[in-house]
Amino acid sequence: MSCSGFAFRGWAGPGIFQYIKKLFLTEQAGRAQAVDFLRKNVANSISMANLVMGLSSVLCSLNGLYHHACWLVLVGFLLDLADGAVARQLNACSALGAKLDDFADFTSFGLATALLLQAHGILDGALAIVYVLAVFTRLCFFSSGVPFMYRGLPCPYGSSVLASTYLLTGGNLVVLRIVAMVMILFMVDQGFYPHDKVLESQAWKKVVYVGGVVVVFFSVFPTASLYYLLWSISYIFFPTALWSYKA
């Protein structure tokens, strides 16, 4: 009886050890795969969050909640600046990420922003359609071919200007539509604008970004959007002097 017990223990010991070792290695591999999956999809999650902001803004506009719609666009603006930086820092750039980013941008800075124009007639509707087409053209066809440069104004800045203008003017549609026409011209222009790598550049640009995040918490005050207006205007009129990646 005792001999068979020893024989059993002699067989079971290494078997249990090998099983535990295999389980441990499997768990390690599983953890490594999970970490790698998270690394590759953090930036994609930020792009998805931008898309959700855009869709939520659309719903708010359709229900007449334009104040909320504007702030959702501005939050999308912040998310759009973050997704590329996170992807580069984590070495997680991918074709899927680029497609998600473009789709999110088209939703937030094309469709959602155009709805802020409140098209009630043929001319107003035409302006909204032209704005969406300008964003579409800017996203699809305006590759500068120059390192660290865009051709035409990046659409998030046009949306930031429009959303801020709406909030600061109390929804003055005449002013808003004039600004929209100006933003269309900037977007389809052949001018060059630097890559806005705000989170990968000088410390003061990171402070500007953090300031934008803080301002969101004061969104109950329409004047808080002045921060975004000044930020975007400085990029539009002083792109190389202030916002160049190497400046």
Side-chain angles (χ1 to χ4, degrees):
M1 182 72 172
S2 60
C3 290
S4 63
F6 281 118
F8 175 77
R9 284 192 292 272
W11 170 82
I16 292 173
F17 175 76
Q18 289 174 3
Y19 175 77
I20 293 173
K21 182 179 179 182
K22 182 179 179 181
L23 183 64
F24 179 73
L25 292 174
T26 301
E27 287 181 355
Q28 272 192 323
R31 265 191 236 105
Q33 288 177 349
V35 169
D36 191 54
F37 177 82
L38 289 173
R39 178 185 67 81
K40 291 179 178 178
N41 287 282
V42 170
N44 291 344
S45 298
I46 297 174
S47 294
M48 288 296 293
N50 181 15
L51 176 60
V52 170
M53 293 301 108
L55 292 172
S56 300
S57 178
V58 168
L59 289 175
C60 285
S61 292
L62 293 176
N63 287 279
L65 303 172
Y66 292 103
H67 178 91
H68 296 82
C70 288
W71 278 105
L72 287 166
V73 167
L74 293 175
V75 172
F77 171 77
L78 293 174
L79 292 170
D80 183 64
L81 291 176
D83 60 4
V86 170
R88 286 184 288 271
Q89 287 296 315
L90 296 178
N91 191 26
C93 297
S94 65
L96 173 62
K99 290 178 181 179
L100 277 175
D101 184 52
D102 282 347
F103 188 66
D105 287 355
F106 180 73
T107 303
S108 294
F109 311 128
L111 297 177
T113 303
L115 285 176
L116 299 178
L117 299 174
Q118 300 180 40
H120 298 304
I122 294 176
L123 291 178
D124 300 339
L127 177 61
I129 290 172
V130 170
Y131 190 89
V132 172
L133 290 176
V135 171
F136 178 79
T137 302
R138 171 65 189 74
L139 290 171
C140 292
F141 304 114
F142 278 31
S143 175
S144 69
V146 180
F148 304 113
M149 297 297 288
Y150 297 116
R151 190 173 66 173
L153 177 68
C155 53
Y157 287 94
S159 291
S160 175
V161 169
L162 277 175
S164 302
T165 300
Y166 188 101
L167 293 167
L168 291 170
T169 62
N172 188 313
L173 295 180
V174 174
V175 174
L176 195 67
R177 287 162 185 163
I178 292 173
V179 172
M181 287 187 280
V182 175
M183 291 301 103
I184 289 170
L185 293 176
F186 275 113
M187 282 191 285
V188 300
D189 183 37
Q190 299 297 303
F192 289 96
Y193 292 84
H195 278 202
D196 46 347
K197 296 183 178 180
V198 175
L199 295 175
E200 303 165 85
S201 193
Q202 297 91 332
W204 71 266
K205 295 179 183 178
K206 297 174 184 176
V207 171
V208 169
Y209 184 90
V210 172
V213 174
V214 172
V215 166
V216 172
F217 293 97
F218 296 91
S219 59
V220 66
F221 306 107
T223 51
S225 61
L226 179 62
Y227 187 91
Y228 289 92
L229 182 63
L230 294 176
W231 179 357
S232 300
I233 286 178
S234 71
Y235 178 84
I236 293 170
F237 291 104
F238 307 102
T240 305
L242 287 178
W243 295 100
S244 172
Y245 180 57
K246 299 180 180 180

